[in-house]
């Protein structure tokens, strides 16, 4: 179970992508940190709507897995 400690709603940023994710034809790679304040529920919903999307959760990472766990982030993006 993921919980969010984000004090500000990220709804404005996430909903436009959710609504049109099925229209995007390019590969989609969604990367979340296991302890990210931005919970991956949005990513799961995008993957449901756009079956070509891939979702990766970087273990033990926060909001910036590209900086703190770069080798795992790169593995996810370049797989």
């Amino acid at each position: 179970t993921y919980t969010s400690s984000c004090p500000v709603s990220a709804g404005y940023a996430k909903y436009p992508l959710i609504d049109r994710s099925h229209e995007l034809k390019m590969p989609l790679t969604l990367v979340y940190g296991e302890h990210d304040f931005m919970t991956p529920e949005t990513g799961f919903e995008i993957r449901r709507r756009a079956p070509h999307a891939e979702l990766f959760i970087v273990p033990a990472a926060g909001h910036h897995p590209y900086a703190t766990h770069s080798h795992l982030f790169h593995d996810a993006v370049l797989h």
Side-chain angles (χ1 to χ4, degrees), residues 28-34 36 38 40 43 54-58 61-66 69 72-77:
L28 298 174
T29 302
L30 308 163
V31 182
Y32 289 84
E34 179 181 21
D36 198 330
M38 299 290 290
E54 295 184 277
L55 175 70
F56 296 92
I57 298 177
V58 179
H63 188 63
H64 303 285
Y66 56 86
H69 295 73
L72 295 174
F73 177 82
H74 291 134
D75 287 348
V77 173

Side-chain angles (χ1 to χ4, degrees), residues 15-53:
Y15 288 113
L17 179 59
I18 287 175
D19 291 342
R20 59 190 168 86
S21 59
H22 67 281
E23 298 172 0
L24 300 172
K25 303 302 179 203
M26 76 285 281
L28 298 174
T29 302
L30 308 163
V31 182
Y32 289 84
E34 179 181 21
H35 302 294
D36 198 330
F37 67 87
M38 299 290 290
T39 59
E41 281 79 11
T42 300
F44 291 128
E45 181 61 20
I46 289 172
R47 189 175 64 185
R48 188 184 72 73
R49 294 180 186 210
H52 63 286

